[in-house]
Amino acid sequence: AQSVAQPEDQVNVAEGNPLTVKCTYSVSGNPYLFWYVQYPNRGLQFLLKYITGDNLVKGSYGFEAEFNKSQTSFHLKKPSALVSDSALYFCAVRGNTNAGKSTFGDGTTLTVKP
Amino acid sequence: DTEVTQTPKHLVMGMTNKKSLKCEQHMGHRAMYWYKQKAKKPPELMFVYSYEKLSINESVPSRFSPECPNSSLLNLHLHALQPEDSALYLCASSQDGTSGMNTGELFFGEGSRLTVL
């Protein structure tokens, strides 16, 4: 079975400060890892993914994520937060033996205050 | 703007009604999905179509009936729903089907918000 944990329900940061949203995973085989963002009353939007290669992945809107195999983590980061980054963030994993089924974390609400 | 289009955006129905949710994508994706999402919760997978064939049914009650008329369209037929079925229903697509190395990200529509009275 595959699983994702997002240990923080809520993350609060001040505008201009760096942000980190944490994600750890469990999966058989090599993981395919994703971050999605959901704004109020909208669908989910893809931010970035790790499939293979460099452990630091860059994505949309200045976000990046670092894959750490030994810690089974895939934390989302941004050097300087914007108020408009406030949203619900989901980490997801898909194992390479379970094609078609992504497992989502419970989500982390990011609030960036001016 | 999303490239997956869902209609209607809002739907209110009684427990005896029959209605349908529709989803369309023109990205050439061969896998399409239905998810159910409650407020501030992660999306829950309901169905997956790969190359227009149903490949995954997550033990969804039969009052939900999916249909994939062609590679661009996905429907979800609703009948005799319960109030607890009220939720945001999300359609998604991805580049490859489930047969093989599907490493692609999901492209979601904006969802259909369903209220069952």
Side-chain angles (χ1 to χ4, degrees), chain A residues 39-113:
Chain A
Y39 298 100
N41 300 312
R42 305 292 296 274
L44 281 70
Q45 295 178 35
F46 167 75
L47 279 179
L48 49 80
K49 67 181 177 183
Y50 173 83
I51 304 300
T52 187
D54 287 342
N55 290 342
L56 185 63
V57 178
K58 294 188 183 297
S60 306
Y61 312 121
F63 284 94
E64 58 189 29
E66 186 167 11
F67 171 65
N68 187 316
K69 187 173 183 178
S70 62
Q71 297 185 6
T72 60
S73 67
F74 189 56
H75 301 330
L76 181 71
K77 300 182 179 184
K78 188 174 182 181
S80 179
L82 299 173
V83 172
S84 57
D85 292 330
S86 299
L88 181 57
Y89 290 80
F90 291 103
C91 180
V93 67
R94 172 189 291 148
N96 61 4
T97 58
N98 196 20
K101 294 183 68 170
S102 293
T103 299
F104 288 83
D106 285 341
T108 298
T109 299
L110 173 68
T111 302
V112 181
K113 298 186 177 179

Side-chain angles (χ1 to χ4, degrees), chain B residues 6-25:
Chain B
Q6 290 188 242
T7 56
K9 292 190 186 306
H10 300 275
L11 178 63
V12 179
M13 59 186 292
M15 290 190 285
T16 58
N17 292 158
K18 288 184 180 181
K19 298 286 185 183
S20 297
L21 306 181
K22 298 184 184 300
C23 175
E24 188 170 5
Q25 59 90 11

Side-chain angles (χ1 to χ4, degrees), chain A residues 32 34 36 38 41-46 49 51 88 90 94 96 99-102 104-107 109, chain B residues 33 35 37 40-43 45 48 56 58 88 90 98 100-106 108-110 113:
Chain A
Y32 303 142
F34 306 84
Y36 296 87
Q38 187 174 31
N41 300 312
R42 305 292 296 274
L44 281 70
Q45 295 178 35
F46 167 75
K49 67 181 177 183
I51 304 300
L88 181 57
F90 291 103
R94 172 189 291 148
N96 61 4
K101 294 183 68 170
S102 293
F104 288 83
D106 285 341
T109 299
Chain B
Y33 309 74
Y35 284 87
Q37 186 182 30
K40 297 192 181 298
K41 297 293 186 182
L45 183 65
V48 181
I56 296 176
E58 291 287 274
L88 182 67
L90 294 165
T98 55
M101 298 295 289
N102 185 355
T103 64
E105 63 271 28
L106 296 167
F108 284 87
E110 299 287 19
R113 187 163 299 282

Side-chain angles (χ1 to χ4, degrees), chain B residues 16-117:
Chain B
T16 58
N17 292 158
K18 288 184 180 181
K19 298 286 185 183
S20 297
L21 306 181
K22 298 184 184 300
C23 175
E24 188 170 5
Q25 59 90 11
H26 292 289
M27 295 178 283
H29 290 173
R30 303 314 302 268
M32 296 186 76
Y33 309 74
W34 280 115
Y35 284 87
K36 173 183 177 181
Q37 186 182 30
K38 293 281 196 178
K40 297 192 181 298
K41 297 293 186 182
E44 301 170 33
L45 183 65
M46 299 175 72
F47 303 103
V48 181
Y49 273 84
S50 175
Y51 295 90
E52 301 164 49
K53 295 190 186 302
L54 184 65
S55 60
I56 296 176
N57 177 341
E58 291 287 274
S59 302
V60 179
S62 59
R63 58 185 184 269
F64 295 91
S65 176
E67 178 194 21
C68 189
N70 60 54
S71 61
S72 300
L73 294 174
L74 186 66
N75 299 322
L76 186 63
H77 302 297
L78 315 171
H79 174 55
L81 295 192
Q82 304 297 310
E84 59 264 29
D85 296 323
S86 298
L88 182 67
Y89 287 84
L90 294 165
C91 174
S93 68
S94 65
Q95 190 166 14
D96 299 312
T98 55
S99 57
M101 298 295 289
N102 185 355
T103 64
E105 63 271 28
L106 296 167
F107 290 79
F108 284 87
E110 299 287 19
S112 293
R113 187 163 299 282
L114 173 67
T115 302
V116 182
L117 302 176

